[in-house]
Amino acid sequence: MDPQASHQPNGLVGALHGEFTDALDHKLRYLLTLTDSCLTVQKITSPPPRDELVLRLVDSVGCRAHQDQDGADNAAYISAWFYPAVPRWMSSGRARQRAEHCFRLALTQDARANLEEAERWARAVRQGASRHSGRNPVPGAPCTQACKAQKMMLLVNPLSGRGRAMTLYTGPVQRMLIDAAVPHTLVVTERQNHARELVRSADLSEWSTLVILSGDGLLFEVINGLMEREDWEQAIHTPLAILPGGSGNALAASVHYYTQADPVWGMELLLSCGFLLCKGAVRPLDILSLHLSSGLRLFSFLSLAWGFIADVDIESERYRYVGAARFMVGTLVRLAWFRSYQGRLAFLPAREACADPPSDAAKPPPPTPGPDQHGPPDDLLAPLGEPVPADWTVVEERDFVLVLATSHSHLAEDLVAAPDAGPADGHIHLFYVRAGVSRATLLRLFLAMEKGTHLACDCPHLVYQRVRALRLEPATTPGVITVDGERVEYGPIQAQIHKGYARLISG
């Protein structure tokens, strides 16, 4: 091998060229060229080859140099791991797939010199991959690069996903983290609210990221645990990451959706979210603050639901054995016992749709958190039991089929509820369906939601608004309200969005 490197004026390596052999068959020789954007592999043949393998550094998660453990070979090796988006077999679209490449370098008989040269290549690959990682730490977020020296806390609910969450960890998740040389500590939750208790008392300076391998409910616990800490203002800036291990996986599907990649599900969604975790780009995440009639304050990252959707979410728990299809099964069952729900709904429209707001002096005081509650002030809300502020819209209808407020695109892996949503757009995406809609029309809306086309159905009973705050006062009893898929106290509830308040690892 005769490695060469050209240098740019700023001192960065412009390209590396070198001859390697196959790691298993030393007779196969390759010419490798590393640039700022890709690693190109050409098999050395006569005549020269026409085809070449181009590995994009943006798809790389890790690269390391090493030697045989037995020391019998003086050569060094370069192992590189890529997760490119490749065409699906027997299906349309593309999905990420793991690809490992290993090359043997035998420059001299000096094992140390060979290893040093291999390390130079591996370091250059890692630096190139880092430049294409999309990292853009937000103000207040820990430096992602510096976090490489710290560990991730990886929380797993072993009961999630029909009990498959631990299998997912010991298989593709652990392998990907090893590929990317990401240190982590596995924490298996033992009961409901275990994760909430753990993060409430943990020394967060020891952890670079809190990773949740489960459904959305475990992240709900983590966020509320962070907000219950005395240092909640700093704690909520701890980067969070989601790996789909449940049956809903709405946030994971949303995170993938924001990359504008082709839709994926199941294992392909897990690889996509795992890849983003390894790349480590920290982005802002909106948080919803919710007040219940008992005075309890909760924090949500995903959704508030009442009526048809909330009933389906809770009732479909009995169908968990079918996985993500539980929601469609629950929908069909609830359609058989179709009903409407009575209540009152009011909201504060998003700024671009608002008239001139009244002065601050004309606004009622916001709810005051209790002595043990933390969080940013909900300056847009009046106390429950008092009229909503004058700049709010009060919905005239009192009969609904459903009310859904979400801050993300997806409601489940295969339900695109708010196709125009973003992870930190500062909006609550409010949907409600008025009574009078037929079973057939409602079913068509849910089927259209699989592709995010329900808003184009021109259904007169479906209303969509971007809002900054809302209040729901249900009258039908008994009933169900869910927050992030978890059942909460039934009764009047109101919410306000806090733009970019938390941190999420996403694309």
Side-chain angles (χ1 to χ4, degrees):
M1 170 189 163
D2 183 19
Q4 297 178 348
S6 61
H7 295 269
Q8 298 174 347
N10 57 11
L12 295 176
V13 173
L16 288 176
H17 307 277
E19 183 179 315
F20 292 75
T21 61
D22 187 85
L24 298 178
D25 185 353
H26 301 172
K27 295 181 180 180
L28 291 178
R29 297 185 301 145
Y30 298 99
L31 176 64
L32 269 59
T33 302
L34 177 64
T35 68
D36 287 341
S37 61
C38 62
L39 176 65
T40 303
V41 182
Q42 280 187 319
K43 183 183 292 186
I44 299 177
T45 60
S46 180
R50 295 181 180 179
D51 297 330
E52 59 185 18
L53 175 63
V54 178
L55 304 171
R56 301 191 312 157
L57 296 184
V58 70
D59 297 325
S60 172
V61 299
C63 185
R64 68 182 180 93
H66 56 97
Q67 290 179 306
D68 279 344
Q69 293 182 352
D70 58 13
D73 188 358
N74 289 331
Y77 295 82
I78 298 173
S79 292
W81 295 273
F82 294 79
Y83 284 78
V86 299
R88 291 191 181 98
W89 185 62
M90 297 183 65
S91 181
S92 61
R94 304 170 73 88
R96 292 202 179 274
Q97 189 176 91
R98 182 178 185 268
E100 179 179 355
H101 300 273
C102 186
F103 304 98
R104 179 176 178 270
L105 185 154
L107 180 62
T108 70
Q109 294 299 315
D110 186 341
R112 176 173 293 183
N114 289 332
L115 182 59
E116 289 177 353
E117 181 61 21
E119 287 177 340
R120 185 167 77 99
W121 275 79
R123 185 167 54 251
V125 171
R126 291 195 300 269
Q127 290 173 346
S130 179
R131 286 195 294 272
H132 293 276
S133 67
R135 291 185 181 127
N136 184 22
V138 293
C143 175
T144 309
Q145 188 66 25
C147 288
K148 288 293 185 180
Q150 301 178 20
K151 285 186 177 181
M152 295 180 176
M153 180 191 290
L154 199 156
L155 293 145
V156 178
N157 178 359
L159 302 180
S160 289
R162 295 176 288 173
R164 294 178 59 244
M166 280 302 300
T167 302
L168 295 177
Y169 168 75
T170 56
V173 172
Q174 189 176 39
R175 182 173 61 184
M176 181 178 283
L177 294 177
I178 291 174
D179 290 348
V182 176
H184 66 281
T185 295
L186 175 67
V187 177
V188 180
T189 60
E190 301 172 356
R191 60 188 179 277
Q192 189 174 11
N193 282 321
H194 186 196
R196 190 172 187 160
E197 297 165 6
L198 284 171
V199 302
R200 188 166 54 209
S201 59
D203 180 359
L204 295 180
S205 66
E206 297 181 1
W207 308 104
S208 63
T209 308
L210 301 179
V211 184
I212 289 81
L213 173 56
S214 180
D216 297 309
L218 198 63
L219 182 55
F220 174 76
E221 288 189 22
V222 168
I223 285 178
N224 281 277
L226 293 174
M227 293 303 294
E228 290 166 355
R229 295 170 59 101
E230 290 299 322
D231 61 345
W232 59 269
E233 289 183 280
Q234 291 75 38
I236 197 59
H237 285 170
T238 304
L240 305 169
I242 187 74
L243 297 176
S247 53
N249 304 319
L251 182 61
S254 299
V255 166
H256 173 81
Y257 179 80
Y258 300 144
T259 67
Q260 301 182 347
D262 293 330
V264 294
W265 304 270
M267 190 62 67
E268 292 177 346
L269 178 60
L270 179 65
L271 287 182
S272 173
C273 291
F275 173 78
L276 295 173
L277 171 62
C278 293
K279 301 303 279 188
V282 181
R283 310 296 187 196
L285 173 69
D286 288 349
I287 291 294
L288 281 170
S289 170
L290 303 110
H291 293 262
L292 281 60
S293 58
S294 63
L296 180 65
R297 191 186 191 196
L298 297 173
F299 294 90
S300 159
F301 66 92
L302 181 62
S303 65
L304 161 68
W306 171 64
F308 188 92
I309 288 180
D311 285 353
V312 167
D313 202 358
I314 298 303
E315 293 168 1
S316 65
E317 289 284 340
R318 68 190 71 170
Y319 310 120
R320 277 189 175 272
Y321 60 89
V322 300
R326 63 175 260 222
F327 298 106
M328 184 51 67
V329 174
T331 297
L332 295 175
V333 171
R334 174 43 56 189
L335 281 172
W337 282 272
F338 193 53
R339 63 169 178 155
S340 60
Y341 308 77
Q342 288 73 48
R344 301 183 64 183
L345 177 65
F347 57 84
L348 175 64
R351 283 190 177 91
E352 61 266 27
C354 285
D356 293 335
S359 65
D360 291 339
K363 291 185 179 181
T368 303
D372 297 326
Q373 297 184 25
H374 308 92
D378 290 320
D379 55 326
L380 302 178
L381 303 177
L384 281 169
E386 296 184 9
V388 297
D391 53 342
W392 284 45
T393 297
V394 178
V395 178
E396 295 181 1
E397 288 83 7
R398 296 292 183 267
D399 296 303
F400 302 88
V401 170
L402 65 87
V403 173
L404 170 67
T406 180
S407 54
H408 285 286
S409 61
H410 281 62
L411 197 59
E413 280 189 32
D414 55 354
L415 291 178
V416 191
D420 293 332
D425 60 15
H427 293 148
I428 303 172
H429 299 264
L430 174 64
F431 301 82
Y432 60 92
V433 175
R434 298 176 291 206
V437 66
S438 67
R439 287 180 174 89
T441 298
L442 188 61
L443 180 58
R444 282 196 296 269
L445 285 175
F446 276 98
L447 291 176
M449 196 180 292
E450 292 182 358
K451 296 184 178 180
T453 59
H454 51 291
L455 294 176
C457 291
D458 295 326
C459 174
H461 295 89
L462 172 63
V463 179
Y464 166 60
Q465 291 280 344
R466 295 188 182 198
V467 306
R468 299 164 60 201
L470 64 90
R471 177 185 291 182
L472 172 65
E473 298 173 284
T476 297
T477 56
V480 174
I481 293 177
T482 59
V483 174
D484 295 354
E486 301 296 307
R487 190 169 186 168
V488 299
E489 168 195 329
Y490 189 71
I493 187 172
Q494 60 183 4
Q496 174 177 334
I497 194 79
H498 293 282
K499 180 178 172 62
Y501 208 77
R503 305 291 179 255
L504 179 70
I505 292 183
S506 64

